[in-house]
Amino acid sequence: MEPTLGPLDPYSPPRSSLEIAQERDAEYREIRKSHIVHERTLQAVGYLYLASAVAILLIGLAMIIPQIDTDGPVNWEFVAGIAIAVVLWGGLNLYCALVYRSLSPSAFWLGTLTSGLGLLAVPLGTLFHGWILYLIWSEKGRRVLSKEYASIIRATPEVRYKRQRADWIRLGVLLLIVVALIGFAASYF
């Protein structure tokens, strides 16, 4: 029986740092390919937060303008309260959007906090934020939002998400729903 020296073999030819880097890059590519769909889904959550930030700001303006455009006295306490709430809430959603889009590790705790509070918005907020919590706390979510994964992303810029036919179909259905909702809202007013 031959003695072993563990993973190091003094009789093996030396390996260059290029070989080691190529093996690491191949491993990084495989990790990234297996997590790319989850990565894109978390970035899509950032777009949803961006849309909600814009909606919050528009709704806030819609609440403030009628208060100011009246001929009577203006309730400045109400206007200031709405303005502060809209800026804080819209700003938080805008920050969440940026954090999710960049896949920053801070998205893990920020997303947990905002989605934990969002669970109270029964029934749709509960479903939506429950889904976000699943995305964050799943094994792939914790991996994608880790500091180590950020270095994997930097090391593998060539790995890209390839859109499937089903992605385009979902986008078309979503656009039809949005157009139908806008048409419904326009006919209502």
mmCIF file of all heavy atoms in Angstrom, residues 131-179:
data_model
loop_
_atom_site.group_PDB
_atom_site.id
_atom_site.type_symbol
_atom_site.label_atom_id
_atom_site.label_comp_id
_atom_site.label_asym_id
_atom_site.label_seq_id
_atom_site.Cartn_x
_atom_site.Cartn_y
_atom_site.Cartn_z
ATOM 1 N N TRP A 131 -44.493 35.383 -2.267
ATOM 2 C CA TRP A 131 -43.677 34.921 -3.392
ATOM 3 C C TRP A 131 -42.285 35.542 -3.327
ATOM 4 O O TRP A 131 -41.278 34.866 -3.555
ATOM 5 C CB TRP A 131 -44.388 35.273 -4.696
ATOM 6 C CG TRP A 131 -43.606 35.013 -5.937
ATOM 7 C CD1 TRP A 131 -43.204 33.802 -6.432
ATOM 8 C CD2 TRP A 131 -43.128 35.990 -6.861
ATOM 9 N NE1 TRP A 131 -42.517 33.979 -7.602
ATOM 10 C CE2 TRP A 131 -42.457 35.306 -7.893
ATOM 11 C CE3 TRP A 131 -43.218 37.373 -6.924
ATOM 12 C CZ2 TRP A 131 -41.876 35.957 -8.963
ATOM 13 C CZ3 TRP A 131 -42.646 38.022 -7.987
ATOM 14 C CH2 TRP A 131 -41.983 37.319 -8.999
ATOM 15 N N ILE A 132 -42.204 36.834 -3.011
ATOM 16 C CA ILE A 132 -40.896 37.492 -2.898
ATOM 17 C C ILE A 132 -40.082 36.878 -1.759
ATOM 18 O O ILE A 132 -38.880 36.632 -1.905
ATOM 19 C CB ILE A 132 -41.056 39.011 -2.707
ATOM 20 C CG1 ILE A 132 -41.621 39.646 -3.967
ATOM 21 C CG2 ILE A 132 -39.718 39.661 -2.369
ATOM 22 C CD1 ILE A 132 -41.921 41.121 -3.837
ATOM 23 N N LEU A 133 -40.721 36.616 -0.624
ATOM 24 C CA LEU A 133 -40.010 35.987 0.487
ATOM 25 C C LEU A 133 -39.487 34.607 0.088
ATOM 26 O O LEU A 133 -38.374 34.220 0.466
ATOM 27 C CB LEU A 133 -40.903 35.894 1.719
ATOM 28 C CG LEU A 133 -41.104 37.209 2.463
ATOM 29 C CD1 LEU A 133 -42.170 37.048 3.537
ATOM 30 C CD2 LEU A 133 -39.802 37.683 3.077
ATOM 31 N N TYR A 134 -40.281 33.874 -0.666
ATOM 32 C CA TYR A 134 -39.802 32.582 -1.155
ATOM 33 C C TYR A 134 -38.569 32.768 -2.040
ATOM 34 O O TYR A 134 -37.581 32.038 -1.908
ATOM 35 C CB TYR A 134 -40.904 31.846 -1.929
ATOM 36 C CG TYR A 134 -40.348 30.731 -2.780
ATOM 37 C CD1 TYR A 134 -39.906 29.548 -2.204
ATOM 38 C CD2 TYR A 134 -40.211 30.891 -4.156
ATOM 39 C CE1 TYR A 134 -39.360 28.548 -2.977
ATOM 40 C CE2 TYR A 134 -39.664 29.899 -4.934
ATOM 41 C CZ TYR A 134 -39.239 28.719 -4.349
ATOM 42 O OH TYR A 134 -38.686 27.744 -5.114
ATOM 43 N N LEU A 135 -38.636 33.739 -2.954
ATOM 44 C CA LEU A 135 -37.501 33.978 -3.847
ATOM 45 C C LEU A 135 -36.242 34.343 -3.071
ATOM 46 O O LEU A 135 -35.143 33.909 -3.414
ATOM 47 C CB LEU A 135 -37.828 35.108 -4.830
ATOM 48 C CG LEU A 135 -38.839 34.815 -5.917
ATOM 49 C CD1 LEU A 135 -39.143 36.083 -6.707
ATOM 50 C CD2 LEU A 135 -38.356 33.715 -6.839
ATOM 51 N N ILE A 136 -36.402 35.134 -2.018
ATOM 52 C CA ILE A 136 -35.249 35.577 -1.243
ATOM 53 C C ILE A 136 -34.691 34.455 -0.376
ATOM 54 O O ILE A 136 -33.487 34.239 -0.317
ATOM 55 C CB ILE A 136 -35.635 36.775 -0.346
ATOM 56 C CG1 ILE A 136 -35.979 37.985 -1.196
ATOM 57 C CG2 ILE A 136 -34.517 37.113 0.622
ATOM 58 C CD1 ILE A 136 -36.565 39.115 -0.393
ATOM 59 N N TRP A 137 -35.569 33.742 0.326
ATOM 60 C CA TRP A 137 -35.119 32.778 1.322
ATOM 61 C C TRP A 137 -34.864 31.379 0.765
ATOM 62 O O TRP A 137 -34.376 30.515 1.495
ATOM 63 C CB TRP A 137 -36.115 32.707 2.474
ATOM 64 C CG TRP A 137 -35.950 33.864 3.391
ATOM 65 C CD1 TRP A 137 -36.551 35.080 3.317
ATOM 66 C CD2 TRP A 137 -35.086 33.928 4.519
ATOM 67 N NE1 TRP A 137 -36.124 35.896 4.327
ATOM 68 C CE2 TRP A 137 -35.223 35.206 5.089
ATOM 69 C CE3 TRP A 137 -34.202 33.021 5.113
ATOM 70 C CZ2 TRP A 137 -34.508 35.606 6.208
ATOM 71 C CZ3 TRP A 137 -33.497 33.418 6.227
ATOM 72 C CH2 TRP A 137 -33.658 34.700 6.761
ATOM 73 N N SER A 138 -35.176 31.128 -0.505
ATOM 74 C CA SER A 138 -34.864 29.816 -1.071
ATOM 75 C C SER A 138 -33.346 29.667 -1.156
ATOM 76 O O SER A 138 -32.598 30.648 -1.041
ATOM 77 C CB SER A 138 -35.496 29.668 -2.454
ATOM 78 O OG SER A 138 -34.898 30.552 -3.367
ATOM 79 N N GLU A 139 -32.906 28.459 -1.374
ATOM 80 C CA GLU A 139 -31.462 28.206 -1.435
ATOM 81 C C GLU A 139 -30.809 29.026 -2.552
ATOM 82 O O GLU A 139 -29.768 29.647 -2.349
ATOM 83 C CB GLU A 139 -31.215 26.712 -1.661
ATOM 84 C CG GLU A 139 -29.756 26.335 -1.703
ATOM 85 C CD GLU A 139 -29.552 24.849 -1.926
ATOM 86 O OE1 GLU A 139 -30.459 24.063 -1.611
ATOM 87 O OE2 GLU A 139 -28.471 24.495 -2.419
ATOM 88 N N LYS A 140 -31.456 29.049 -3.715
ATOM 89 C CA LYS A 140 -30.901 29.814 -4.826
ATOM 90 C C LYS A 140 -30.948 31.311 -4.539
ATOM 91 O O LYS A 140 -30.040 32.041 -4.906
ATOM 92 C CB LYS A 140 -31.660 29.506 -6.118
ATOM 93 C CG LYS A 140 -31.297 28.164 -6.702
ATOM 94 C CD LYS A 140 -31.952 27.968 -8.039
ATOM 95 C CE LYS A 140 -31.494 26.661 -8.642
ATOM 96 N NZ LYS A 140 -32.035 26.466 -9.989
ATOM 97 N N GLY A 141 -32.002 31.769 -3.886
ATOM 98 C CA GLY A 141 -32.111 33.191 -3.564
ATOM 99 C C GLY A 141 -31.022 33.645 -2.621
ATOM 100 O O GLY A 141 -30.427 34.707 -2.806
ATOM 101 N N ARG A 142 -30.766 32.839 -1.588
ATOM 102 C CA ARG A 142 -29.692 33.205 -0.657
ATOM 103 C C ARG A 142 -28.345 33.193 -1.357
ATOM 104 O O ARG A 142 -27.470 34.006 -1.062
ATOM 105 C CB ARG A 142 -29.694 32.261 0.538
ATOM 106 C CG ARG A 142 -30.830 32.574 1.504
ATOM 107 C CD ARG A 142 -30.834 31.684 2.699
ATOM 108 N NE ARG A 142 -31.492 30.441 2.271
ATOM 109 C CZ ARG A 142 -31.198 29.236 2.708
ATOM 110 N NH1 ARG A 142 -30.272 29.073 3.604
ATOM 111 N NH2 ARG A 142 -31.832 28.184 2.270
ATOM 112 N N ARG A 143 -28.179 32.281 -2.316
ATOM 113 C CA ARG A 143 -26.917 32.208 -3.048
ATOM 114 C C ARG A 143 -26.753 33.416 -3.967
ATOM 115 O O ARG A 143 -25.692 34.033 -4.030
ATOM 116 C CB ARG A 143 -26.877 30.911 -3.861
ATOM 117 C CG ARG A 143 -25.636 30.700 -4.686
ATOM 118 C CD ARG A 143 -24.533 30.164 -3.819
ATOM 119 N NE ARG A 143 -23.276 30.041 -4.474
ATOM 120 C CZ ARG A 143 -22.747 28.896 -4.882
ATOM 121 N NH1 ARG A 143 -23.384 27.776 -4.695
ATOM 122 N NH2 ARG A 143 -21.570 28.875 -5.439
ATOM 123 N N VAL A 144 -27.829 33.758 -4.709
ATOM 124 C CA VAL A 144 -27.758 34.864 -5.661
ATOM 125 C C VAL A 144 -27.525 36.187 -4.948
ATOM 126 O O VAL A 144 -26.835 37.066 -5.471
ATOM 127 C CB VAL A 144 -29.038 34.904 -6.523
ATOM 128 C CG1 VAL A 144 -29.149 36.200 -7.293
ATOM 129 C CG2 VAL A 144 -29.065 33.727 -7.474
ATOM 130 N N LEU A 145 -28.070 36.352 -3.744
ATOM 131 C CA LEU A 145 -27.921 37.609 -3.020
ATOM 132 C C LEU A 145 -26.722 37.613 -2.068
ATOM 133 O O LEU A 145 -26.642 38.460 -1.191
ATOM 134 C CB LEU A 145 -29.212 37.913 -2.245
ATOM 135 C CG LEU A 145 -30.430 38.176 -3.134
ATOM 136 C CD1 LEU A 145 -31.676 38.333 -2.281
ATOM 137 C CD2 LEU A 145 -30.216 39.361 -4.041
ATOM 138 N N SER A 146 -25.792 36.697 -2.253
ATOM 139 C CA SER A 146 -24.614 36.651 -1.393
ATOM 140 C C SER A 146 -23.465 37.450 -2.013
ATOM 141 O O SER A 146 -23.457 37.743 -3.205
ATOM 142 C CB SER A 146 -24.172 35.195 -1.177
ATOM 143 O OG SER A 146 -23.671 34.652 -2.380
ATOM 144 N N LYS A 147 -22.497 37.792 -1.192
ATOM 145 C CA LYS A 147 -21.322 38.531 -1.674
ATOM 146 C C LYS A 147 -20.487 37.665 -2.618
ATOM 147 O O LYS A 147 -19.906 38.161 -3.573
ATOM 148 C CB LYS A 147 -20.468 38.987 -0.495
ATOM 149 C CG LYS A 147 -21.111 40.079 0.314
ATOM 150 C CD LYS A 147 -20.231 40.503 1.457
ATOM 151 C CE LYS A 147 -20.940 41.566 2.273
ATOM 152 N NZ LYS A 147 -20.180 41.955 3.446
ATOM 153 N N GLU A 148 -20.444 36.356 -2.358
ATOM 154 C CA GLU A 148 -19.668 35.456 -3.199
ATOM 155 C C GLU A 148 -20.246 35.401 -4.615
ATOM 156 O O GLU A 148 -19.513 35.323 -5.593
ATOM 157 C CB GLU A 148 -19.623 34.048 -2.605
ATOM 158 C CG GLU A 148 -18.893 33.950 -1.287
ATOM 159 C CD GLU A 148 -19.736 34.394 -0.096
ATOM 160 O OE1 GLU A 148 -20.989 34.368 -0.186
ATOM 161 O OE2 GLU A 148 -19.145 34.797 0.914
ATOM 162 N N TYR A 149 -21.580 35.440 -4.710
ATOM 163 C CA TYR A 149 -22.207 35.378 -6.024
ATOM 164 C C TYR A 149 -21.931 36.657 -6.821
ATOM 165 O O TYR A 149 -21.845 36.615 -8.046
ATOM 166 C CB TYR A 149 -23.712 35.143 -5.901
ATOM 167 C CG TYR A 149 -24.352 34.723 -7.197
ATOM 168 C CD1 TYR A 149 -24.257 33.412 -7.644
ATOM 169 C CD2 TYR A 149 -25.035 35.637 -7.984
ATOM 170 C CE1 TYR A 149 -24.832 33.023 -8.833
ATOM 171 C CE2 TYR A 149 -25.611 35.259 -9.179
ATOM 172 C CZ TYR A 149 -25.511 33.956 -9.600
ATOM 173 O OH TYR A 149 -26.076 33.565 -10.783
ATOM 174 N N ALA A 150 -21.779 37.772 -6.139
ATOM 175 C CA ALA A 150 -21.430 39.020 -6.839
ATOM 176 C C ALA A 150 -20.088 38.866 -7.549
ATOM 177 O O ALA A 150 -19.913 39.359 -8.672
ATOM 178 C CB ALA A 150 -21.406 40.184 -5.856
ATOM 179 N N SER A 151 -19.147 38.176 -6.918
ATOM 180 C CA SER A 151 -17.856 37.956 -7.580
ATOM 181 C C SER A 151 -18.005 36.970 -8.740
ATOM 182 O O SER A 151 -17.294 37.080 -9.743
ATOM 183 C CB SER A 151 -16.810 37.465 -6.581
ATOM 184 O OG SER A 151 -17.171 36.200 -6.070
ATOM 185 N N ILE A 152 -18.938 36.031 -8.630
ATOM 186 C CA ILE A 152 -19.196 35.101 -9.734
ATOM 187 C C ILE A 152 -19.773 35.866 -10.928
ATOM 188 O O ILE A 152 -19.404 35.620 -12.075
ATOM 189 C CB ILE A 152 -20.144 33.967 -9.281
ATOM 190 C CG1 ILE A 152 -19.433 33.061 -8.272
ATOM 191 C CG2 ILE A 152 -20.649 33.160 -10.456
ATOM 192 C CD1 ILE A 152 -20.310 32.008 -7.639
ATOM 193 N N ILE A 153 -20.664 36.814 -10.657
ATOM 194 C CA ILE A 153 -21.239 37.622 -11.737
ATOM 195 C C ILE A 153 -20.147 38.429 -12.434
ATOM 196 O O ILE A 153 -20.112 38.509 -13.662
ATOM 197 C CB ILE A 153 -22.346 38.544 -11.195
ATOM 198 C CG1 ILE A 153 -23.567 37.723 -10.765
ATOM 199 C CG2 ILE A 153 -22.748 39.587 -12.236
ATOM 200 C CD1 ILE A 153 -24.633 38.535 -10.063
ATOM 201 N N ARG A 154 -19.256 39.025 -11.644
ATOM 202 C CA ARG A 154 -18.162 39.806 -12.236
ATOM 203 C C ARG A 154 -17.220 38.927 -13.061
ATOM 204 O O ARG A 154 -16.661 39.365 -14.057
ATOM 205 C CB ARG A 154 -17.384 40.537 -11.150
ATOM 206 C CG ARG A 154 -18.078 41.769 -10.634
ATOM 207 C CD ARG A 154 -17.164 42.607 -9.765
ATOM 208 N NE ARG A 154 -16.636 41.890 -8.609
ATOM 209 C CZ ARG A 154 -17.270 41.752 -7.442
ATOM 210 N NH1 ARG A 154 -18.459 42.295 -7.281
ATOM 211 N NH2 ARG A 154 -16.729 41.096 -6.444
ATOM 212 N N ALA A 155 -17.041 37.669 -12.639
ATOM 213 C CA ALA A 155 -16.117 36.776 -13.338
ATOM 214 C C ALA A 155 -16.730 36.155 -14.591
ATOM 215 O O ALA A 155 -15.996 35.630 -15.432
ATOM 216 C CB ALA A 155 -15.652 35.663 -12.394
ATOM 217 N N THR A 156 -18.061 36.214 -14.731
ATOM 218 C CA THR A 156 -18.714 35.561 -15.874
ATOM 219 C C THR A 156 -19.658 36.516 -16.598
ATOM 220 O O THR A 156 -20.866 36.275 -16.664
ATOM 221 C CB THR A 156 -19.504 34.325 -15.407
ATOM 222 O OG1 THR A 156 -20.448 34.742 -14.408
ATOM 223 C CG2 THR A 156 -18.608 33.249 -14.878
ATOM 224 N N PRO A 157 -19.131 37.597 -17.164
ATOM 225 C CA PRO A 157 -20.025 38.531 -17.863
ATOM 226 C C PRO A 157 -20.606 37.946 -19.147
ATOM 227 O O PRO A 157 -21.602 38.445 -19.660
ATOM 228 C CB PRO A 157 -19.121 39.728 -18.160
ATOM 229 C CG PRO A 157 -17.764 39.156 -18.227
ATOM 230 C CD PRO A 157 -17.748 38.029 -17.229
ATOM 231 N N GLU A 158 -20.011 36.863 -19.659
ATOM 232 C CA GLU A 158 -20.489 36.280 -20.914
ATOM 233 C C GLU A 158 -21.746 35.430 -20.738
ATOM 234 O O GLU A 158 -22.436 35.129 -21.710
ATOM 235 C CB GLU A 158 -19.385 35.431 -21.574
ATOM 236 C CG GLU A 158 -19.093 34.114 -20.873
ATOM 237 C CD GLU A 158 -18.188 34.231 -19.657
ATOM 238 O OE1 GLU A 158 -17.749 35.343 -19.324
ATOM 239 O OE2 GLU A 158 -17.907 33.189 -19.042
ATOM 240 N N VAL A 159 -22.064 35.054 -19.507
ATOM 241 C CA VAL A 159 -23.257 34.238 -19.250
ATOM 242 C C VAL A 159 -24.466 35.166 -19.231
ATOM 243 O O VAL A 159 -24.550 36.085 -18.428
ATOM 244 C CB VAL A 159 -23.136 33.462 -17.920
ATOM 245 C CG1 VAL A 159 -24.405 32.691 -17.636
ATOM 246 C CG2 VAL A 159 -21.934 32.543 -17.954
ATOM 247 N N ARG A 160 -25.380 34.922 -20.137
ATOM 248 C CA ARG A 160 -26.579 35.749 -20.274
ATOM 249 C C ARG A 160 -27.812 34.862 -20.254
ATOM 250 O O ARG A 160 -27.763 33.694 -20.631
ATOM 251 C CB ARG A 160 -26.569 36.523 -21.593
ATOM 252 C CG ARG A 160 -25.424 37.467 -21.739
ATOM 253 C CD ARG A 160 -25.820 38.803 -21.206
ATOM 254 N NE ARG A 160 -24.765 39.767 -21.447
ATOM 255 C CZ ARG A 160 -24.410 40.645 -20.570
ATOM 256 N NH1 ARG A 160 -24.993 40.690 -19.415
ATOM 257 N NH2 ARG A 160 -23.461 41.501 -20.840
ATOM 258 N N TYR A 161 -28.919 35.457 -19.876
ATOM 259 C CA TYR A 161 -30.200 34.753 -19.895
ATOM 260 C C TYR A 161 -30.726 34.754 -21.322
ATOM 261 O O TYR A 161 -30.768 35.792 -21.973
ATOM 262 C CB TYR A 161 -31.191 35.445 -18.956
ATOM 263 C CG TYR A 161 -32.566 34.842 -18.957
ATOM 264 C CD1 TYR A 161 -32.796 33.632 -18.343
ATOM 265 C CD2 TYR A 161 -33.624 35.479 -19.581
ATOM 266 C CE1 TYR A 161 -34.056 33.068 -18.343
ATOM 267 C CE2 TYR A 161 -34.881 34.930 -19.584
ATOM 268 C CZ TYR A 161 -35.097 33.725 -18.963
ATOM 269 O OH TYR A 161 -36.340 33.160 -18.962
ATOM 270 N N LYS A 162 -31.123 33.592 -21.815
ATOM 271 C CA LYS A 162 -31.687 33.488 -23.154
ATOM 272 C C LYS A 162 -33.201 33.358 -23.028
ATOM 273 O O LYS A 162 -33.709 32.437 -22.406
ATOM 274 C CB LYS A 162 -31.101 32.279 -23.873
ATOM 275 C CG LYS A 162 -29.628 32.429 -24.143
ATOM 276 C CD LYS A 162 -29.083 31.237 -24.890
ATOM 277 C CE LYS A 162 -27.621 31.417 -25.162
ATOM 278 N NZ LYS A 162 -26.778 30.917 -24.138
ATOM 279 N N ARG A 163 -33.902 34.304 -23.614
ATOM 280 C CA ARG A 163 -35.367 34.307 -23.529
ATOM 281 C C ARG A 163 -35.945 33.117 -24.279
ATOM 282 O O ARG A 163 -35.541 32.799 -25.386
ATOM 283 C CB ARG A 163 -35.933 35.593 -24.098
ATOM 284 C CG ARG A 163 -35.522 36.791 -23.306
ATOM 285 C CD ARG A 163 -36.542 37.881 -23.427
ATOM 286 N NE ARG A 163 -36.129 39.042 -22.678
ATOM 287 C CZ ARG A 163 -36.375 39.215 -21.399
ATOM 288 N NH1 ARG A 163 -37.042 38.313 -20.744
ATOM 289 N NH2 ARG A 163 -35.971 40.289 -20.777
ATOM 290 N N GLN A 164 -36.944 32.499 -23.655
ATOM 291 C CA GLN A 164 -37.664 31.384 -24.245
ATOM 292 C C GLN A 164 -38.912 31.906 -24.947
ATOM 293 O O GLN A 164 -39.344 33.030 -24.719
ATOM 294 C CB GLN A 164 -38.066 30.398 -23.137
ATOM 295 C CG GLN A 164 -36.931 29.946 -22.251
ATOM 296 C CD GLN A 164 -36.050 28.936 -22.919
ATOM 297 O OE1 GLN A 164 -36.535 28.097 -23.654
ATOM 298 N NE2 GLN A 164 -34.755 29.008 -22.674
ATOM 299 N N ARG A 165 -39.529 31.079 -25.742
ATOM 300 C CA ARG A 165 -40.773 31.459 -26.402
ATOM 301 C C ARG A 165 -41.863 31.739 -25.374
ATOM 302 O O ARG A 165 -42.663 32.665 -25.527
ATOM 303 C CB ARG A 165 -41.223 30.355 -27.348
ATOM 304 C CG ARG A 165 -42.490 30.718 -28.107
ATOM 305 C CD ARG A 165 -42.908 29.650 -29.045
ATOM 306 N NE ARG A 165 -41.827 29.432 -30.000
ATOM 307 C CZ ARG A 165 -41.869 28.571 -30.984
ATOM 308 N NH1 ARG A 165 -42.942 27.841 -31.150
ATOM 309 N NH2 ARG A 165 -40.856 28.421 -31.803
ATOM 310 N N ALA A 166 -41.882 30.962 -24.303
ATOM 311 C CA ALA A 166 -42.885 31.166 -23.251
ATOM 312 C C ALA A 166 -42.736 32.547 -22.601
ATOM 313 O O ALA A 166 -43.731 33.144 -22.188
ATOM 314 C CB ALA A 166 -42.771 30.074 -22.195
ATOM 315 N N ASP A 167 -41.521 33.061 -22.512
ATOM 316 C CA ASP A 167 -41.309 34.408 -21.962
ATOM 317 C C ASP A 167 -42.017 35.451 -22.819
ATOM 318 O O ASP A 167 -42.645 36.366 -22.299
ATOM 319 C CB ASP A 167 -39.818 34.736 -21.889
ATOM 320 C CG ASP A 167 -39.068 33.879 -20.893
ATOM 321 O OD1 ASP A 167 -39.707 33.368 -19.960
ATOM 322 O OD2 ASP A 167 -37.849 33.716 -21.063
ATOM 323 N N TRP A 168 -41.917 35.314 -24.126
ATOM 324 C CA TRP A 168 -42.549 36.274 -25.025
ATOM 325 C C TRP A 168 -44.071 36.155 -24.966
ATOM 326 O O TRP A 168 -44.786 37.158 -25.052
ATOM 327 C CB TRP A 168 -42.037 36.098 -26.448
ATOM 328 C CG TRP A 168 -40.600 36.471 -26.567
ATOM 329 C CD1 TRP A 168 -39.552 35.621 -26.761
ATOM 330 C CD2 TRP A 168 -40.041 37.776 -26.477
ATOM 331 N NE1 TRP A 168 -38.368 36.330 -26.797
ATOM 332 C CE2 TRP A 168 -38.646 37.652 -26.625
ATOM 333 C CE3 TRP A 168 -40.576 39.048 -26.287
ATOM 334 C CZ2 TRP A 168 -37.784 38.746 -26.598
ATOM 335 C CZ3 TRP A 168 -39.711 40.126 -26.260
ATOM 336 C CH2 TRP A 168 -38.336 39.971 -26.411
ATOM 337 N N ILE A 169 -44.569 34.932 -24.817
ATOM 338 C CA ILE A 169 -46.015 34.736 -24.699
ATOM 339 C C ILE A 169 -46.526 35.386 -23.415
ATOM 340 O O ILE A 169 -47.542 36.081 -23.417
ATOM 341 C CB ILE A 169 -46.363 33.227 -24.751
ATOM 342 C CG1 ILE A 169 -46.080 32.684 -26.160
ATOM 343 C CG2 ILE A 169 -47.813 32.980 -24.357
ATOM 344 C CD1 ILE A 169 -46.166 31.181 -26.270
ATOM 345 N N ARG A 170 -45.817 35.172 -22.305
ATOM 346 C CA ARG A 170 -46.212 35.804 -21.039
ATOM 347 C C ARG A 170 -46.200 37.322 -21.147
ATOM 348 O O ARG A 170 -47.092 37.998 -20.630
ATOM 349 C CB ARG A 170 -45.270 35.365 -19.913
ATOM 350 C CG ARG A 170 -45.605 34.018 -19.351
ATOM 351 C CD ARG A 170 -44.747 33.723 -18.119
ATOM 352 N NE ARG A 170 -44.207 32.397 -18.309
ATOM 353 C CZ ARG A 170 -42.936 32.071 -18.382
ATOM 354 N NH1 ARG A 170 -42.017 32.984 -18.226
ATOM 355 N NH2 ARG A 170 -42.557 30.845 -18.582
ATOM 356 N N LEU A 171 -45.198 37.874 -21.808
ATOM 357 C CA LEU A 171 -45.123 39.318 -21.991
ATOM 358 C C LEU A 171 -46.303 39.825 -22.814
ATOM 359 O O LEU A 171 -46.911 40.843 -22.489
ATOM 360 C CB LEU A 171 -43.807 39.707 -22.658
ATOM 361 C CG LEU A 171 -43.603 41.190 -22.935
ATOM 362 C CD1 LEU A 171 -43.566 41.973 -21.626
ATOM 363 C CD2 LEU A 171 -42.334 41.410 -23.733
ATOM 364 N N GLY A 172 -46.659 39.099 -23.872
ATOM 365 C CA GLY A 172 -47.803 39.486 -24.682
ATOM 366 C C GLY A 172 -49.109 39.460 -23.901
ATOM 367 O O GLY A 172 -49.924 40.388 -24.000
ATOM 368 N N VAL A 173 -49.302 38.417 -23.091
ATOM 369 C CA VAL A 173 -50.510 38.332 -22.267
ATOM 370 C C VAL A 173 -50.540 39.464 -21.249
ATOM 371 O O VAL A 173 -51.581 40.095 -21.036
ATOM 372 C CB VAL A 173 -50.592 36.949 -21.575
ATOM 373 C CG1 VAL A 173 -51.681 36.918 -20.516
ATOM 374 C CG2 VAL A 173 -50.827 35.854 -22.602
ATOM 375 N N LEU A 174 -49.410 39.751 -20.643
ATOM 376 C CA LEU A 174 -49.337 40.850 -19.671
ATOM 377 C C LEU A 174 -49.668 42.191 -20.331
ATOM 378 O O LEU A 174 -50.426 42.997 -19.771
ATOM 379 C CB LEU A 174 -47.957 40.903 -19.025
ATOM 380 C CG LEU A 174 -47.723 42.012 -18.008
ATOM 381 C CD1 LEU A 174 -48.614 41.795 -16.794
ATOM 382 C CD2 LEU A 174 -46.276 42.058 -17.585
ATOM 383 N N LEU A 175 -49.128 42.432 -21.506
ATOM 384 C CA LEU A 175 -49.428 43.681 -22.211
ATOM 385 C C LEU A 175 -50.911 43.768 -22.579
ATOM 386 O O LEU A 175 -51.519 44.838 -22.483
ATOM 387 C CB LEU A 175 -48.559 43.817 -23.456
ATOM 388 C CG LEU A 175 -47.089 44.122 -23.208
ATOM 389 C CD1 LEU A 175 -46.307 44.124 -24.515
ATOM 390 C CD2 LEU A 175 -46.921 45.429 -22.478
ATOM 391 N N LEU A 176 -51.514 42.653 -22.986
ATOM 392 C CA LEU A 176 -52.948 42.648 -23.280
ATOM 393 C C LEU A 176 -53.768 42.984 -22.039
ATOM 394 O O LEU A 176 -54.742 43.743 -22.109
ATOM 395 C CB LEU A 176 -53.373 41.295 -23.844
ATOM 396 C CG LEU A 176 -53.000 41.023 -25.293
ATOM 397 C CD1 LEU A 176 -53.343 39.587 -25.673
ATOM 398 C CD2 LEU A 176 -53.682 42.006 -26.212
ATOM 399 N N ILE A 177 -53.365 42.438 -20.901
ATOM 400 C CA ILE A 177 -54.075 42.730 -19.648
ATOM 401 C C ILE A 177 -53.939 44.204 -19.297
ATOM 402 O O ILE A 177 -54.914 44.849 -18.909
ATOM 403 C CB ILE A 177 -53.558 41.821 -18.516
ATOM 404 C CG1 ILE A 177 -53.984 40.372 -18.763
ATOM 405 C CG2 ILE A 177 -54.053 42.303 -17.159
ATOM 406 C CD1 ILE A 177 -53.349 39.375 -17.823
ATOM 407 N N VAL A 178 -52.735 44.747 -19.430
ATOM 408 C CA VAL A 178 -52.517 46.170 -19.122
ATOM 409 C C VAL A 178 -53.343 47.052 -20.048
ATOM 410 O O VAL A 178 -53.998 48.008 -19.604
ATOM 411 C CB VAL A 178 -51.012 46.522 -19.196
ATOM 412 C CG1 VAL A 178 -50.796 48.018 -19.174
ATOM 413 C CG2 VAL A 178 -50.264 45.851 -18.062
ATOM 414 N N VAL A 179 -53.356 46.740 -21.343
ATOM 415 C CA VAL A 179 -54.140 47.524 -22.292
ATOM 416 C C VAL A 179 -55.627 47.420 -21.969
ATOM 417 O O VAL A 179 -56.363 48.415 -22.024
ATOM 418 C CB VAL A 179 -53.834 47.076 -23.746
ATOM 419 C CG1 VAL A 179 -54.847 47.648 -24.728
ATOM 420 C CG2 VAL A 179 -52.425 47.481 -24.135
#
